[in-house]
Amino acid sequence: MKQDNKEYAERNLFNGLNGHSLISPLESQNNLVEPKIRLGILASGKGSNFEYIIKSIQKKQINAVISILIVNNPNCLAIKKAIKYNIPYVIINHRDCNSRLEHDKLVMKKLEELSVELVVMAGWMRIIGEELINKFNNRLINIHPSLLPSFKGIDAIEQAMDKRVTITGCTVHHVQKEVDSGSIIIQAAVPIKDKDSIETLKKRIQEMEHIILPLAIAKVAIEIRTNFKDKK
Ligand code: GRF
């Protein structure tokens, strides 16, 4: 009987992890910053992470306002979400620029104009240059679909499957010059199942992205507000 209880407890422990994921560090969301942190979101794709940021603001899990959504691709679906939730957005098409620097400068100008404090790359499929990175030093974060430092680059999910790792996940990190290399803010682990396809794995990774990105925003917002106070 005792043995049964032990096994039951062990099973419960794994149930606690939901059999899907493990997030670290697990931060409390109760430390809401005041005043609201002004966010600038950069996106190129379907904008599901963008939408979850909006939802976490609505649920008061983060005390923030989205000052602007910037997209580099005029066909990007994130625009539809901005319209749906009445969030200001601007298209800064890199194809209209002569250089990466020119594009970065337009992005930077818009962020500064609106006094954005924290920039979130939520599926931003462009490498950005040093000037923009330095301007938002420690205030520019990115979400990547792997447990960094493994599987950097655009095809992170495919790389993890090719290498036959059994656990992958997602990472929110500060942005540095080297792609997918800045210091790690939060990660979630996602086991790869035998039957997984790229699509099924991507879906489970994205479910975790939608949880950890708002958590990372809350964490960095506190750091920004704390540093600001120190400087006063
Ligand atoms: C996410 O999987 C993110 O990790 C990667 O781009 C994807 C963006 O998805 N950088 P969405 O546009 O937020 O749906």
Side-chain angles (χ1 to χ4, degrees):
M1 184 64 178
K2 261 191 179 168
Q3 186 58 27
D4 285 355
N5 283 345
K6 191 165 167 269
E7 277 171 19
Y8 180 71
E10 275 168 3
R11 273 208 311 275
N12 258 2
L13 182 65
F14 288 105
N15 286 343
L17 295 179
N18 212 14
H20 294 301
S21 56
L22 176 64
I23 296 175
S24 180
L26 253 185
E27 305 270 341
S28 143
Q29 291 184 34
N30 297 332
N31 280 331
L32 292 179
V33 290
E34 284 292 347
K36 286 178 199 294
I37 200 94
R38 288 186 300 279
L39 302 177
I41 312 294
L42 308 187
S44 312
K46 68 179 168 40
S48 70
N49 279 287
F50 169 51
E51 186 166 26
Y52 272 83
I53 297 170
I54 298 169
K55 286 183 176 167
S56 57
I57 294 172
Q58 289 176 338
K59 286 192 218 148
K60 302 197 188 311
Q61 290 167 341
I62 45 182
N63 199 25
V65 59
I66 302 179
S67 303
I68 191 82
L69 165 77
I70 301 180
V71 300
N72 65 309
N73 162 15
N75 301 317
C76 134
L77 291 177
I79 295 173
K80 292 211 166 119
K81 314 255 176 187
I83 295 168
K84 177 176 171 194
Y85 292 96
N86 212 12
I87 306 276
Y89 73 92
V90 61
I91 302 165
I92 305 181
N93 191 342
H94 60 277
R95 293 198 173 87
D96 296 339
C97 297
N98 292 318
S99 67
R100 187 178 301 283
L101 183 61
E102 188 186 326
H103 186 254
D104 278 4
K105 280 194 166 159
L106 290 175
V107 171
M108 201 152 57
K109 187 163 168 263
K110 184 48 84 183
L111 295 170
E112 286 188 303
E113 232 171 67
L114 296 166
S115 305
V116 164
E117 298 172 280
L118 173 57
V119 184
V120 182
M121 292 176 25
W124 177 252
M125 303 310 280
R126 272 188 71 75
I127 294 174
I128 56 168
E130 254 179 296
E131 201 163 327
L132 180 50
I133 294 172
N134 293 341
K135 175 60 79 188
F136 287 92
N137 186 27
N138 290 323
R139 297 186 296 126
L140 172 57
I141 65 176
N142 179 46
I143 181 130
H144 181 76
S146 79
L147 287 178
L148 290 173
S150 292
F151 311 130
K152 297 174 181 177
I154 48 166
D155 52 355
I157 298 175
E158 289 84 343
Q159 289 180 54
M161 286 193 87
D162 285 351
K163 290 283 179 205
R164 306 181 72 84
V165 296
T166 55
I167 298 174
T168 185
C170 46
T171 302
V172 184
H173 62 93
H174 287 284
V175 176
Q176 270 184 359
K177 204 173 114 208
E178 295 75 30
V179 174
D180 300 328
S181 295
S183 59
I184 289 168
I185 300 161
I186 187 165
Q187 293 185 302
V190 177
I192 300 183
K193 297 175 183 171
D194 285 345
K195 287 185 186 154
D196 262 332
S197 62
I198 305 270
E199 287 67 35
T200 57
L201 180 57
K202 185 173 180 184
K203 185 169 177 287
R204 290 206 312 289
I205 291 177
Q206 281 224 318
E207 282 167 10
M208 297 316 296
E209 289 186 348
H210 299 155
I211 297 172
I212 67 168
L213 188 53
L215 285 170
I217 292 171
K219 192 167 187 280
V220 178
I222 291 167
E223 284 163 15
I224 290 172
R225 285 283 174 267
T226 311
N227 289 341
F228 180 71
K229 269 191 206 139
D230 287 351
K231 275 185 206 150
K232 269 183 129 185

